[in-house]
């Protein structure tokens, strides 16, 4: 039991991201409303962002990756120690991923607006009904 | 369908949970991620790029190529939005009727096509009958928009030393324009920052970034190697890197600001650009 | 000592925030929900920001005082914008034709 | 050659896409010439890269002057140089051929169309050249986002199909990103070569296996491998014909390249084929993909839908051929990337050409088209023969390699699936040809009085026919020179360890 607790306490960040990811995946598959699917997609992407960011953390008093006293006096002679700052790379990667997910969200919403214009609804089964009514059942 | 979804989500989660057993613990300072590539950034970024904010240094310089395409993603999203939604020409449901409000009385006039447009400062053109004459919102936004924009510029320019940079600052600047569009109306915002302006600024922002990289090529350095720009700036290679970061951050800020505004214009008015929120 | 005062302020702010959150859930309709959302959040923010400002002013050096002032500036902005936002939302609700809740209407529904 | 050549296939199209917006906004005649210049420059630099690679071997290029693994490095070898030439050539031919269609279909949005298309090509060429796993994700998203937009603006159900494509494509890309994250967590690096160097010590780790499976799943979604192919037929068949011609030949092929790159370069063949030993399972999956793709294709009554399901089956060919894990199979798979790009371009282009003169792409609309549009139909015949795998078209040779790979590996199920799919393709295409050749031209859509007379010849515009003929000739030429292609380039693209 205590092993399990150690395991959970040591790695709870991964548990959180997996939970979020499952919520997102469930919403994308189960929900009939296209807007809810898009929200699910966003949760799914956010889960992955959380995963990356949590890998950047360093215990033992590491600070944000901005070198202290770097202001003003050009090059600092006393080099920064890697243990004093958290890992900057995942933050950089996730800045990119956040921007990508915002961009995807924008395009998805655009298409949702177009779909709404066309069928007057965002419910998948109602859209299917409209399509069947329009084309007589052909794909 | 719900069962299938639940099953697949649970399956996926279980498989992923199973994998976490071998992961390094949360906050482990000796994990491979913290000990292989990243120490070099932390220890050398200041000396190599003269930017104390390591995230900015890595974002705009070490991995600047990623960021270039990140900006291009924003640009293509805005372009995609425009491409998909924009409807040119008049709205056939309400052909060019115009609404004016007489400010002292609050009466709304509807001018049908061909009618005479009132020419007096007492009249204000509005989008729809239901738009109220809201002094509170308009005054407040007028008061705070300059501060928002100032803050946006600060965030862009101060990205070397504090959290921030082109993306964050660009979004703040874009938000100020969107706030203007919400508090006044879409037509007035389009008058301040038109569609062509936002499109061309968006492309120009990415172009500043990519062009800075291409300029490095012309100077004989590798693509995006800002140290090649040292002769142009008249400084040494490390300061040139720092200035190069600033240049691309400005490009990013410009592109992101216009992209946000442009996406808002198209989404809010469903591509008609007649009346939005 | 100053830490203790700061903690008190922050705690007080959190109490207001909690009240606001409870109010948003418990109030019966759109307009009355905006009331706690607008008022208590502003108050909670004021309290917690004062707390944080006090916490940052440890040694009364110039930089620290400036940081504290910047934090207070946040409160000023929220004082301007939060009522405006609440006003705009209420306005939108009125224009959308949302009827306010009354005791009598509630009786009709049930 | 210039040492900066590896950067050019990405930088030139990117700058041109931005120029199209900046300049094209005031002058609507500029976008096409700029795009033409950009893609020609891209093709020339791709050919230059190919020549360099053949002369000197693998070329590296450090973006920003930072050494990998700290910076992003490009790495050009035989495999990606070859696919880059194919992508650039297909994009250029498609661009020229669709000029009139774009004018007709997107008359008021030519600027965004060409901007998005050139960005799409930028993304693809970046995917091909990059040697950094995360950079690949960003470029993947560029190519996907622009693809969603181009597909989303079509007739009928296109927006819905585009939205479904976004949802599935985002799942795919996110899975890939998660896999890269797992790898990063275990190794601390993102550079492909560095990853390959650090992974052998971790071969018995479950996380690495999981990362591999997650990446592979994501790529399967992106390439429309069978169980997760559902986005593709709707997206491609509802897209406007210009967008279909430009996108269909490229996306799935590049995704298959990414799979090959990840498996061969990052995880190394030892790991994929020996340690994990999943080759057999994936080949069986691809057998199902081929069979189901072919069967679904048979059930369709619209030409573009038939072609879309054939694309699904062809994805099965390439995935299966690669996972056979022997030299002949992988050769066939890589050769088929080249050939399938040409074949798909040919048939979609022919379908686009037909659509300029007939009102729809249902099979009844094709009646009597051999008399009306002989050149387009002849090109469709060549493309069809190539998909069937009849000599001397190129489809025969890649199928030959795939089949001999299947026999070498003792995987007769795969061989049988290939033969079955060829038979189905014979049935499909000969049904199309029969309708188009023997049935009289339908009366219900003969609005044009000339269509009925003896002088009913009214082929597609020459601007579209010329590229079509070029592609059809290319199909035969690729077939005739496929031996040289294999011995000069593809043999070097496969690690020596694989026999």
């Amino acid at each position: 039991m205590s092993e399990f607790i150690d395991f959970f306490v040591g790695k709870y960040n991964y548990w959180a991201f997996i939970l979020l990811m499952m919520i997102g995946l469930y919403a994308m598959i189960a929900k009939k409303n296209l807007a809810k699917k898009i929200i699910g997609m966003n949760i799914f992407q956010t889960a992955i962002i959380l995963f990356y960011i949590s890998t950047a953390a360093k215990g033992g008093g590491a600070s944000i990756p901005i070198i202290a006293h770097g202001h003003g006096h050009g090059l600092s002679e006393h080099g920064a120690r890697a243990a004093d700052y958290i890992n900057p790379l995942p933050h950089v990667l996730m800045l990119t991923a956040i921007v990508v997910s915002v961009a995807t969200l924008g395009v998805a919403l655009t298409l949702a607006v177009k779909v709404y214009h066309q069928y007057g609804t965002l419910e998948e089964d109602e859209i299917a009904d409209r399509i069947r009514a329009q084309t007589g059942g052909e794909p | 369908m719900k069962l299938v979804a639940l099953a697949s989500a649970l399956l996926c989660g279980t498989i992923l949970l199973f994998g976490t057993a071998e992961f390094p613990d949360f906050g482990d300072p000796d994990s491979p991620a913290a000990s292989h590539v990243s120490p070099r950034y932390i220890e050398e970024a200041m000396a190599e790029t003269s930017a104390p904010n390591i995230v900015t240094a890595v974002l705009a310089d070490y991995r600047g190529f990623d960021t270039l395409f990140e900006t291009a993603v924003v640009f293509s999203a805005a372009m995609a939005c425009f491409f998909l939604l924009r409807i040119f020409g008049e709205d056939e449901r309400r052909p060019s009727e115009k609404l004016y409000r007489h400010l002292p009385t609050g009466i709304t006039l509807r001018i049908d096509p061909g009618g005479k447009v009132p020419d007096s400062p007492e009249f204000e053109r509005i989008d729809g009958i239901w738009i109220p004459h809201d002094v509170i919102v308009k005054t407040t936004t007028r008061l705070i928009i300059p501060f928002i924009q100032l803050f946006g510029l600060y965030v862009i320019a101060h990205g070397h030393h504090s959290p921030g940079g082109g993306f964050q600052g660009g979004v703040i600047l874009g938000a100020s324009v969107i706030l203007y569009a919400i508090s006044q109306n879409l037509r007035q915002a389009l008058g301040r920052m038109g569609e062509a302006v936002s499109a061309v600024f968006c492309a120009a922002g990415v172009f500043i970034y990519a062009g800075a990289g291409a300029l490095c090529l012309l100077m004989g350095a590798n693509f995006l190697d800002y140290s090649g720009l040292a002769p142009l700036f008249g400084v040494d290679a490390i300061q040139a890197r720092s200035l190069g970061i600033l240049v691309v951050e400005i490009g990013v800020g410009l592109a992101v600001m216009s992209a946000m505004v442009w996406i808002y214009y198209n989404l809010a008015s469903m591509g008609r650009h007649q009346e939005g929120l | 000592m100053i830490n203790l005062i700061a903690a008190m302020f922050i705690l007080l702010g959190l109490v207001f925030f909690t009240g606001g959150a409870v109010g948003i859930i418990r109030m019966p309709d759109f307009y009355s929900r905006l009331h706690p959302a607008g008022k208590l959040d502003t108050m909670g923010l004021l309290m917690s920001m004062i707390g944080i400002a006090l916490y940052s002013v440890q040694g009364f050096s110039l930089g620290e005082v400036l940081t504290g002032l910047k934090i207070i500036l946040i409160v000023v902005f929220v004082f301007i914008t939060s009522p405006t936002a609440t006003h705009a939302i209420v306005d939108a609700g009125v224009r959308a034709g949302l009827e306010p809740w009354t005791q009598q209407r509630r009786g009709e529904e049930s | 050659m210039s040492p900066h050549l590896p950067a050019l296939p990405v930088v030139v199209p990117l700058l041109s896409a931005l120029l199209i917006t900046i300049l094209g906004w005031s002058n609507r005649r500029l976008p096409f010439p700029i795009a033409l210049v950009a893609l020609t420059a891209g093709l020339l630099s791709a050919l230059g890269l190919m020549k360099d690679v053949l002369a000197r071997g693998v070329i590296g290029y450090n973006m920003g002057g930072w050494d990998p693994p700290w910076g992003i490095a490009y790495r050009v070898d035989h495999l990606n140089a070859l696919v880059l030439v194919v992508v650039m050539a297909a994009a250029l031919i498609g661009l020229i051929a669709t000029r009139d269609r774009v004018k007709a279909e997107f008359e008021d949005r030519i600027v965004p169309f060409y901007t998005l298309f050139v960005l799409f090509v930028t993304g693809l060429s970046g995917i091909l050249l990059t040697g950094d796993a995360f950079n690949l994700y960003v470029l993947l998203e560029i190519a996907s986002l622009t693809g969603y937009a181009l597909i989303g603006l079509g007739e009928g159900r296109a927006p819905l199909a585009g939205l479904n494509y976004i949802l599935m494509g985002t799942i795919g890309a996110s899975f890939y990103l998660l896999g890269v994250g797992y790898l990063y967590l275990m190794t601390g690096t993102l550079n492909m070569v560095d990853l390959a160097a650090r992974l052998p010590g971790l071969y018995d780790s479950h996380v690495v296996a999981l990362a591999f499976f997650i990446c592979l799943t994501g790529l399967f979604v992106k390439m429309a491998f069978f169980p997760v192919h559902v986005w593709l037929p709707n997206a491609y068949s509802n897209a406007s014909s210009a967008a279909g011609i430009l996108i269909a030949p490229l996306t799935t092929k590049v995704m298959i390249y990414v799979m090959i790159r990840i498996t061969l370069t990052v995880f190394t063949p030892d790991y994929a084929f020996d340690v994990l030993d999943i080759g057999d399972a994936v080949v069986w999956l691809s057998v199902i993909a081929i069979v189901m793709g072919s069967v679904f294709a048979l059930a369709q009554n619209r030409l573009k839908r038939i072609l879309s399901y054939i694309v699904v089956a062809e994805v099965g060919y390439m995935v299966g051929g690669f996972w056979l894990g022997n030299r002949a199979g992988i050769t066939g798979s890589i050769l088929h990337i080249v050939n399938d790009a040409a074949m798909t371009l040919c048939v979609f282009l022919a379908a686009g050409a037909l659509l300029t003169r007939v009102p729809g792409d249902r099979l009844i609309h094709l009646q009597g088209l051999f008399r009306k549009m002989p050149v387009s139909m002849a090109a469709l015949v060549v493309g069809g023969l190539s998909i069937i795998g009849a000599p001397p078209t190129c489809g025969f040779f890649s199928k030959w390699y795939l089949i001999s790979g299947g026999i070498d590996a003792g995987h007769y199920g795969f061989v049988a699936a290939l033969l079955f799919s060829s038979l189905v393709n014979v049935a499909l295409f000969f049904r199309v040809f029969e309708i188009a050749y023997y049935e009289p031209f339908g009366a219900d859509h003969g609005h044009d009085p000339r269509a009925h007379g003896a002088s009913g010849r009214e082929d597609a515009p020459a601007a579209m026919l010329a590229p079509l003929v070029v592609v059809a000739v290319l199909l035969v030429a690729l077939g005739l020179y496929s031996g040289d292609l294999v011995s000069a380039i593809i043999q070097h693209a496969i690690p020596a360890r694989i026999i």
Side-chain angles (χ1 to χ4, degrees), chain C residues 22-74:
Chain C
V22 171
I24 290 173
I25 298 168
R26 293 285 299 155
M27 287 292 180
D29 80 329
F30 176 76
Y31 300 107
S32 48
R33 278 178 194 187
L34 275 172
H35 188 77
K39 281 229 163 73
L40 291 173
D41 274 12
T42 317
M43 195 62 194
L45 196 84
L46 174 68
M47 290 297 162
S48 43
M49 283 300 134
I50 288 176
I52 292 170
L54 283 178
Y55 181 72
S56 72
V57 185
Q58 294 281 352
F60 290 101
S61 72
L62 182 66
E64 283 173 356
V65 172
L66 273 179
T67 312
L69 280 179
K70 281 181 199 165
I71 291 171
I72 297 300
L73 215 59
I74 297 175

Side-chain angles (χ1 to χ4, degrees), chain B residues 166-219:
Chain B
F167 288 99
Q168 297 87 335
V171 168
I172 294 171
L173 284 176
S176 74
V177 180
I178 293 175
L179 181 64
Y180 183 77
I182 290 176
S183 66
Q184 311 285 325
N185 56 46
L186 193 67
R187 192 169 18 77
Q188 229 163 320
L190 275 168
R192 288 290 168 93
M193 185 171 172
E195 184 181 27
V197 172
S198 40
V200 171
F201 270 26
C202 195
V206 190
F207 196 86
I208 289 175
Y209 199 147
L215 203 60
C216 303
L217 271 185
L218 293 181
M219 300 294 289

Side-chain angles (χ1 to χ4, degrees), chain D residues 50 54 78 82 331 335 397 401 477-492:
Chain D
M50 187 80 210
L54 285 180
H78 292 83
L82 176 68
T331 308
L335 185 61
F397 295 95
Y401 277 108
L478 271 176
L480 294 180
Y481 289 99
S482 64
D484 296 338
L485 195 64
V486 168
S487 59
I489 302 171
I490 297 179
Q491 282 313 313
H492 303 287

Side-chain angles (χ1 to χ4, degrees), chain B residues 15-16 19 22-23 32 36-37 40-41 48 61 63 65-66 69 79-80 83 86 88 196 221-223 241, chain D residues 4 10 21 25 61-62 64 66 70 74 108-109 132 134-135 142 149 182 186 188 194 198 205-207 210:
Chain B
I15 293 173
L16 291 176
E22 288 177 27
F23 276 173
H36 178 43
V37 170
R40 147 101 189 242
Y41 295 137
E48 285 177 342
D61 199 348
R63 296 187 69 88
F65 193 65
D66 262 354
F69 281 96
M79 195 47 121
F83 177 67
R86 187 78 169 94
F88 295 97
N222 275 10
F223 186 65
R241 283 194 177 277
Chain D
H4 300 301
V10 180
T21 305
W25 207 270
Y61 185 80
N62 299 342
W66 298 109
W70 293 283
Y74 268 16
D108 53 355
R109 44 198 88 203
D132 190 280
F134 187 81
N135 190 230
I142 288 239
Y182 274 33
M186 295 310 284
D194 199 29
R198 291 174 66 90
S205 157
H206 293 300
V207 180
L210 198 56

Side-chain angles (χ1 to χ4, degrees), chain A residues 31 36 45 53 63 69 72-73 89 96 98 114 123 129:
Chain A
K31 294 293 175 194
K36 286 182 183 166
Q45 288 174 314
I53 290 295
S63 156
H69 313 297
H73 42 109
L89 189 53
T96 309
I98 289 169
K114 263 190 100 70
E123 297 290 332
D129 288 346

Side-chain angles (χ1 to χ4, degrees), chain B residues 98-123:
Chain B
K98 292 192 174 100
L99 294 171
Y100 282 86
R101 177 188 290 129
H102 185 230
L103 287 177
T105 58
I107 292 171
T108 304
L109 302 179
R110 199 187 75 199
I111 315 277
D112 279 335
K116 185 173 170 292
V117 176
D119 182 26
S120 154
E122 288 191 343
F123 287 94

